[in-house]
Amino acid sequence: MKSKKYDALTSRHDVIRDCVPKELNFQQRTFEIMNYSRTYNLPIDTHYSISDRCKNFASKELESQKMWSSNQNGAKTDQKFKAPFYQDVDGFRIPGMFSAEAFKSALKYKPNPGDLFIVTFPKCGTTWVQHIVTCILKNGKSFQSALEFFTKTPFLELIGGSAVESMKKPYSIKIHLPFHLTPWSASAKYIFVARNPKDCCVSFYHHTVDTPGYYFQDGKFDDFFELFIKGEVDFGDYFDTLLSWYEHRDDPNVLFITYEQLKKDKRTCILKIAEFIGPQYKDKLEKDEKMLEEIIFHSSFKFMKEHVSKLMAELGIMIANNPEMLTNNQDIPSALRKVMLSGDFELSKKDAKKIAIVRKGIIGDWRNHLSPVQNARLEKKFKEKTEGTDLQNLWKNDM
């Protein structure tokens, strides 16, 4: 194997993996990656962040995981499957590249009066509503940099509660938690965004494939579907999160909206969100049509896909070429700096066209992915889980 020397500051495990021949099998590649990290005497925290990930993932990957799934004829077949890199923390599943300590810290966060949380199950419109809220608070203007995106709309489970407490007041705080795990306060506000489970599953699959830290680049949709329908993906069971927040839809400090409502009538939803944040924001938009149009434009999928991808690519290039700018920036929480430097996220892809934080933004993409059997199984589970609630009518035209 040819060696490639690299500076410890700029070394990330995606670089190390590139040094290992692709023709080796997974076990051989993992062994070589671990040896390579030792050879170049990486700092102890960096070394462990690489080798422990490899060891943990190797043991997960090399286990002969078997599961029952239905084939097209409805017969039971015993199949091996590949799972993304997850970890379980106190019974709750999170991405394997997250810090368990940061996650535990997130659950202990004490909301400040006026904190605004954007709550979703993953891939249900999180980034979209982050943009809308930010544009409302910035008089129609969008994020100016990726660092602004990460620090002004922080991901609580990623960076931890103590990190958020040390930051300047953010525009909003992003979480992917069921109600019982959410840091709750009657003096804080919570926007919950729901999306039909079929499109959520498809979008979550693509997100998992496109995020390097899941080690699922070659993962199959059929494998991911089995995890999703069993509630074994990261951030738990889609239905647990949906139902737990639906019960609180009428709480005065909760706004329950759907992805599909945003798609079909964004103007009305923006005004509803603005009023929820504070009546003065709705009044301002009703009096300033130009500002409202700017928010509509800056929260369009065309703009977000191009703009966010460009900002993330610029940050990826900066991290690769000048990581000291990140490591020396005290406004960035240490947990966030560590993740940004790790190469586990889309930031490792410096080509904006390959960054998929915003993908299609459509309703009904599930029709291009779910087989008839998968569709029937998810329909059945949806009906069972939502029996006796109005949720059965929420997506009757979208599922």
Side-chain angles (χ1 to χ4, degrees):
M1 181 181 72
K2 292 184 178 180
S3 297
K4 291 184 181 180
K5 292 186 178 181
Y6 56 91
D7 189 276
L9 281 173
T10 59
S11 64
R12 301 194 308 275
H13 64 274
D14 59 327
V15 176
I16 296 175
R17 286 199 305 271
D18 288 341
C19 300
V20 180
K22 300 290 190 296
E23 61 268 22
L24 298 180
N25 64 35
F26 183 87
Q27 190 173 19
Q28 292 169 327
R29 280 176 58 78
T30 300
F31 180 77
E32 290 295 336
I33 289 169
M34 291 168 61
N35 279 340
Y36 204 75
S37 63
R38 293 190 186 101
T39 299
Y40 285 94
N41 297 316
L42 297 183
I44 190 70
D45 57 337
T46 308
H47 173 77
Y48 278 107
S49 70
I50 295 169
S51 61
D52 282 0
R53 279 197 188 98
C54 293
K55 286 186 289 187
N56 291 338
F57 186 63
S59 63
K60 173 191 285 284
E61 177 73 7
L62 294 172
E63 286 177 4
S64 179
Q65 299 187 73
K66 293 189 176 182
M67 65 190 304
W68 290 100
S69 64
S70 299
N71 63 16
Q72 293 288 341
N73 298 319
K76 298 291 186 180
T77 56
D78 199 15
Q79 297 181 343
K80 292 182 180 180
F81 78 106
K82 178 179 179 180
F85 181 28
Y86 299 139
Q87 61 177 313
D88 293 336
V89 180
D90 297 334
F92 191 77
R93 181 157 291 184
I94 63 173
M97 61 280 201
F98 277 30
S99 161
E101 291 307 311
F103 176 73
K104 292 177 181 179
S105 170
L107 301 186
K108 296 176 182 177
Y109 176 70
K110 302 297 182 186
N112 294 307
D115 274 355
L116 177 63
F117 290 83
I118 296 173
V119 191
T120 68
F121 191 78
K123 309 314 296 179
C124 288
T126 322
T127 303
W128 196 5
V129 177
Q130 284 175 287
H131 268 76
I132 290 172
V133 167
T134 296
C135 288
I136 290 171
L137 296 176
K138 292 182 64 178
N139 297 321
K141 306 303 180 186
S142 183
F143 297 100
Q144 298 304 302
S145 70
L147 287 180
E148 182 186 12
F149 176 80
F150 283 118
T151 58
K152 298 302 287 184
T153 58
F155 188 177
L156 185 62
E157 298 95 290
L158 173 62
I159 68 173
S162 56
V164 174
E165 289 169 358
S166 68
M167 297 167 66
K168 297 176 182 177
K169 183 175 175 60
Y171 305 137
S172 60
I173 301 170
K174 161 187 168 180
I175 61 173
H176 289 320
L177 296 172
F179 184 84
H180 75 280
L181 291 180
T182 295
W184 177 260
S185 171
S187 61
K189 294 184 177 182
Y190 302 81
I191 301 174
F192 183 82
V193 191
R195 188 181 190 182
N196 82 75
K198 296 178 184 179
D199 280 332
C200 172
C201 177
V202 169
S203 185
F204 203 177
Y205 161 71
H206 284 287
H207 167 77
T208 304
V209 167
D210 289 335
T211 302
Y214 284 111
Y215 298 93
F216 198 63
Q217 289 87 338
D218 299 321
K220 305 301 182 186
F221 176 75
D222 290 351
D223 293 340
F224 186 84
F225 175 85
E226 295 300 332
L227 293 168
F228 183 88
I229 200 167
K230 286 187 170 186
E232 295 176 356
V233 292
D234 45 334
F235 299 103
D237 190 315
Y238 163 92
F239 293 99
D240 289 347
T241 299
L242 173 65
L243 290 166
S244 69
W245 279 98
Y246 189 70
E247 291 178 3
H248 292 270
R249 66 193 182 281
D250 295 325
D251 289 5
N253 61 332
V254 174
L255 175 63
F256 186 100
I257 59 175
T258 72
Y259 184 99
E260 291 76 13
Q261 289 168 347
L262 278 163
K263 283 292 294 182
K264 295 170 185 177
D265 191 355
K266 185 160 66 170
R267 174 183 290 264
T268 297
C269 287
I270 288 173
L271 291 172
K272 184 181 291 187
I273 291 170
E275 183 176 31
F276 180 73
I277 296 172
Q280 69 273 25
Y281 293 103
K282 181 184 179 184
D283 292 343
K284 185 186 292 186
L285 293 181
E286 288 181 329
K287 294 174 182 176
D288 192 335
E289 180 66 22
K290 182 180 178 182
M291 187 185 298
L292 179 56
E293 288 297 331
E294 282 188 343
I295 295 174
I296 291 172
F297 171 73
H298 286 139
S299 60
S300 67
F301 275 87
K302 183 178 186 300
F303 175 83
M304 289 192 298
K305 190 174 182 68
E306 295 174 356
H307 185 64
V308 175
S309 297
K310 176 176 175 289
L311 295 181
M312 297 302 172
E314 289 173 353
L315 180 58
I317 292 171
M318 185 269 284
I319 291 172
N321 296 337
N322 193 5
E324 293 88 351
M325 289 183 64
L326 200 65
T327 55
N328 296 333
N329 189 334
Q330 297 306 308
D331 290 333
I332 303 174
S334 59
L336 180 57
R337 285 201 302 270
K338 187 173 182 179
V339 169
M340 286 180 171
L341 289 167
S342 72
D344 278 332
F345 286 87
E346 289 94 338
L347 298 176
S348 64
K349 301 175 182 178
K350 302 166 193 66
D351 181 352
K353 294 179 180 178
K354 296 181 180 179
I355 296 176
I357 291 178
V358 178
R359 197 175 65 90
K360 283 189 176 181
I362 63 174
I363 301 171
D365 194 34
W366 62 267
R367 294 181 176 88
N368 299 318
H369 293 75
L370 269 66
S371 70
V373 171
Q374 289 170 336
N375 183 49
R377 290 174 64 197
L378 196 48
E379 287 259 4
K380 182 174 182 289
K381 181 161 187 178
F382 177 76
K383 290 177 181 177
E384 290 173 349
K385 287 284 190 176
T386 61
E387 186 177 5
T389 74
D390 294 334
L391 283 167
Q392 296 212 346
N393 298 319
L394 197 58
W395 294 297
K396 61 182 179 181
N397 297 322
D398 303 312
M399 291 176 56

